[in-house]
Every structure is written in structure tokens, then in C-alpha cells.
Amino acid sequence: MRRAAMALLAKQISPPNLSIMQDEGFTVGRVRTELLSGLTVALALVPEAVAFAFVAGVHPLVGLYAAFMVGLITAVFGGRPGMISGATGALAVVMVALVADHGVEYLFATVVLMGILQIIAGVMHWGKFIRLVPHPVMLGFVNGLAIVIFLAQLTQFKDPASGGAEWLQGGSMLLMLGLVALTMVIIWGMPKITNIIPAPLAGIGIVAILVIAMGLDVPRVGDMASIEGGLPAFHIPMVPLNWETFEIILPYAVILAAIGLIESLLTLNLVGEITGKRGGASQECIAQGASNVVTGFFGGMGGCAMIGQSMINVKSGGRTRIAGIAAALFLLAFIVVASPLIEQIPLAALVGVMFMVVIGTFAWNSLKIMTKVPPMDAFVIVLVTVVTVMTDLAIAVVVGVIVSALAYAWNNARRIHAYTRESATDKGAKVYEIEGPLFFGSTDGFIELFDVAGDPDRVIVDFARSRVVDQSALQAIEAIAGKYEAEGKKLVLRHLSRDCHQLLTKAGHLMVDSDDDPEYEIAVDYSVKTGILGGH
């Protein structure tokens, strides 16, 4: 029994592609581009990780350690080279209540359980269900996240001396805006001059040198918090190992695992579209889970894919695992040995980089196509965008998928209709040729197609251009057959597809144990048994 279970598990797990360079050629130029891209990402990660740690109510190093460990492990084992993972705001807003009520140790235990759930999702190949997310939901996702990234940067325009309670005033605000604008101009113009250095890195470097050399009084990374620390140490979460603890952390772990996987898989698809390469959804789920399990045991707050940092990496030329690995290692170096230098970087430069990310991430074409796509698709784009900004990504995606599914069901429900004619083979019989799927949404319309009182004694329902989909469809067939039976008339089904035949046979509705010829060269008439599902 155990051997059979292990064999089944082995079949479920496909060998991951862990190639460092993937399809990219191993050249000095490629390695340089990947390393510089990783450095750019690492610089942008610092304020993000610190800010998200503050949101979750934990020490800045808890966010920085998470960014390092999640980023490193997913870069090595993840399903999409080029993606960057770390501590994210989408997870932080869920964690804050847990930390406030139970403390940081319960957070670490929750992150471990979250990782285990994500590994299970990867092993079971549940990542494939991301295919059910329609394109309008994807557009709403990127637009919503672009707005969220933009709004998150506005806190950098507040005076650190006031604890972030008041906005910068007068000359300080103008100087901050000017440096942000200068960074954006450098990022826009650098590719027109040279591609030797990634444009975001050039923007950060030039503005940082300018601020330090001129001694300009603007908020810097060190004003947020000190990032100095040592190597992360192994630490078993100090929580009671009992059922009560499990009841506390399980709801949070489920929510965090779902949000983390949804954001990671949507980012995986987005990066895949930009780079023109497919990613392994199940492999990414396992990598995200493993990274969170490790992070929970090393004092990190957990994380998932970061669309903003992934866009920085891709736009800077990062295409392989080297960039993600380099970003994580650079971040660790900042924490351990280079904190005094990194803390001098002006926040304006990093805000300018993120603003360019916002411009590049927002799907501007979605504004142009609003009047060209179906109204429901336009509504879904706006709905997902708004819900992403107002609540969180997971709720927005679920809402978008549900609305899209209901719209699809409604459109299909209106498609069902029938052509009637006299039978060419059964003299005096009437044929209803059904078109459109028969499912829960179209059953009422299906029943209304029939004129029970006015039909002859024999009626043939032809399903050559229809499909019987679910239990509601079976109920409708039984109901209409019962009506004809009550009138002393005979109703038979013809041209059932293989799947429809199996569904009706399993329910016990068919009296003839046979199949139509696949090409319909031989037509079998199936009598319908009534009284199986009942009328309610």
C-alpha cells in the first residue's frame, strides 16, 4: 500500500527545470546584465521590505530576512526565472491582526504552515487552475497592483521626523519631487544612450551621488529604519504545540497561502508574456511553499512573488536565475556589511524607480479597448482593479472569476433553442433539434421549447448539436419526459455524444444499453425512465 502511494506521488511530481541559464547563452555580457539587474532589484527591495514589515507590525529585519530567503529559494527552484519574490504588502495586511493578537512567534508558525499548504498545492498540481482566470481579470490585476504600488510610494513623501504623520512641506517637498522626476528622466533616457548599465540602477546611482555630494537634506533609507543585522539564525517558533495553536494559525495560513499563490501565479503568467516563455505553475507553488517553510524557521515574515520587483528585473534585462539569486545575496550583503552605505540612498531615487514600474505595469491599452470589448469584460476589468485597491488581490481575483463565470453561464443559457420538423424515418413523429448546451442555466428555456399538448404521440429530441452537462440538465430531461408520459405520449432521445450517454446511463435514465455511432451513421433512440431524480 505504501509503495503504491509513493509511486502515485512520484508520478505527480515532474522533474523541475533548474537550469541556471535556461535558454539564454552563457556569456560575460549576459552574466554582467544579470548581476547588475540583481543589484538594482536588491536596492529597490530594501525600502519595500522595511515598509511591509512596519505594516505587519514586526521588526524591519523580519521583513528583510524574508525578502532574502524567499527571494533566494524561489530564484533557485521557482518555475519562472526572472521572477522576484519577497515580503509583500498583500500578505502583510493579513499578518497584522495575527501579530497584534498573538505575537510574532505565532506569525512564524503560521508562515511554516502556509508553506506546507503551498507545497501540497504544488504536488497536487492545483496551480493549473490559474488557467481559469480570464484575460479581463488579468488586466484588472495588473492595473490594480500598479495603483497599489503607486499609493504605497506616497508614504515616502511624509516627514520622517513626524513619524510619517505629516507631509513634507515647502522646499523639502519640491526637492523630493524634483529628485523623483530626475530619476524618472534618467531611467527613460538611459536606454537611448547605453544599455551597459540597467537604467533603474543608473537612476539610483546618479541621484544618490548627487544627494550625497551636495549634502541635500532629503529622506534617506536610514530614516525609515536601520537595516543593520547579522545572518538569519535558525529558530523554532516558540508556540505551544497543541490543537488550540493550530486553530489559531490555520485560518491565517490558508488565507496567506491562497493570496501568495494567486499573486505568484498571476505574476508568473505576466512575466511569461513579457519574456515569451512559459513557466511551471506547480514547480512555482512548491518553490514558494519551501521558501516559506524555511523562512518561518529563520525568523522571516514569509512572502510571495512581487510584481513590482519582477518588472524592474525584467526591464533591466534579467532573464535567468542568476538575477534573482544575485538580488537575494546582494540584499544579505546590505544587511550584514553594507548597511551604512545603503542607508544613505535617498528614498526619492527608489520612489522614482517604482513610479516607472507603475507606468510600465499599468495596462494602458485596457483604457483604449473599453468601448471595443463586450460591456461585461469592461466591467470586470474595472471591478477587479477597484477591488484590488480597496481590499486585496485574492478577493479581487475570486470576485472577477465569479462574475466572469456567471456572465459566461448567462450567455450560454440564452443560446439554447430548437428547430422542429417532421421525422423522415418515423412517420408522424415530431423532431426537436436542440442547439446549445443544456445545463443549470438553460433548463427553463429548454422546457419551454416543447409543446406537450400539441405534439404527436411520438417525439424525438435530437442532441446532435447539444450537450447534456449536469444534474440540472438530467432533471429537465426527466421533467419533460414525465410531462409527455402523463399525456400518454412517447419521448425519445437521439444522437447523444459519448459523454452525454455516459452521464444519462449513470443516472439510470436510458432504457437502451447502446451508443450512437460516433459519426451518427446509426441513430439509436433512447427511451427515458422517469421518477429517478424526482420533481424537486
Side-chain angles (χ1 to χ4, degrees), residues 262-530:
I262 290 173
E263 183 161 355
S264 297
L265 294 175
L266 290 177
T267 303
L268 180 141
N269 285 348
L270 184 63
V271 172
E273 288 180 7
I274 295 174
T275 60
K277 298 176 182 177
R278 295 184 61 186
S282 297
Q283 183 179 336
E284 185 63 35
C285 292
I286 294 173
Q288 291 288 339
S291 69
N292 282 308
V293 170
V294 173
T295 300
F297 282 118
F298 279 86
M301 61 183 282
C304 64
M306 306 179 74
I307 187 172
Q309 314 304 326
S310 297
M311 291 300 100
I312 292 175
N313 186 45
V314 171
K315 296 296 175 63
S316 298
R319 291 292 186 276
T320 74
R321 299 187 187 278
I322 292 177
I325 294 171
L329 295 179
F330 276 128
L331 182 60
L332 181 63
F334 296 164
I335 297 170
V336 177
V337 297
S339 57
L341 178 61
I342 300 303
E343 288 172 7
Q344 295 304 310
I345 294 176
L347 290 174
L350 301 174
V351 171
V353 171
M354 297 311 295
F355 278 177
M356 292 301 287
V357 169
V358 169
I359 294 172
T361 300
F362 194 91
W364 300 101
N365 68 313
S366 64
L367 302 179
K368 299 179 182 178
I369 64 174
M370 282 293 185
T371 58
K372 300 178 182 179
V373 299
M376 181 53 66
D377 287 348
F379 172 73
V380 169
I381 294 172
V382 175
L383 176 66
V384 174
T385 301
V386 172
V387 176
T388 299
V389 174
M390 300 301 295
T391 58
D392 63 62
L393 170 66
I395 293 176
V397 171
V398 170
V399 168
V401 171
I402 290 174
V403 171
S404 298
L406 290 175
Y408 175 79
W410 175 251
N411 289 333
N412 275 278
R414 295 162 57 193
R415 285 175 53 197
I416 197 161
H417 59 280
Y419 297 104
T420 59
R421 60 177 174 82
E422 289 188 8
S423 174
T425 55
D426 295 345
K427 193 166 181 65
K430 182 177 180 180
V431 177
Y432 284 85
E433 294 183 354
I434 308 298
E435 289 200 359
L438 179 55
F439 69 112
F440 68 89
S442 60
T443 53
D444 288 344
F446 172 75
I447 293 175
E448 292 170 0
L449 297 174
F450 297 90
D451 179 14
V452 178
D455 282 345
D457 291 340
R458 182 174 174 81
V459 173
I460 301 169
V461 184
D462 192 327
F463 283 95
R465 290 188 290 273
S466 181
R467 289 291 182 273
V468 181
V469 177
D470 56 13
Q471 187 268 340
S472 296
L474 299 177
Q475 187 83 48
I477 291 173
E478 181 178 311
I480 199 66
K483 289 183 179 182
Y484 279 105
E485 191 177 90
E487 293 284 332
K489 300 176 181 180
K490 180 76 170 178
L491 179 140
V492 297
L493 313 181
R494 181 178 290 178
H495 289 158
L496 295 176
S497 64
R498 300 291 188 195
D499 54 340
C500 300
H501 182 276
Q502 291 171 0
L503 188 64
L504 285 157
T505 301
K506 184 177 181 181
H509 281 304
L510 300 187
M511 295 182 180
V512 179
D513 187 16
S514 180
D515 250 339
D516 282 345
D517 183 274
E519 300 298 329
Y520 301 140
E521 293 178 5
I522 300 174
V524 178
D525 290 339
Y526 302 97
S527 298
V528 181
K529 292 180 183 179
T530 57

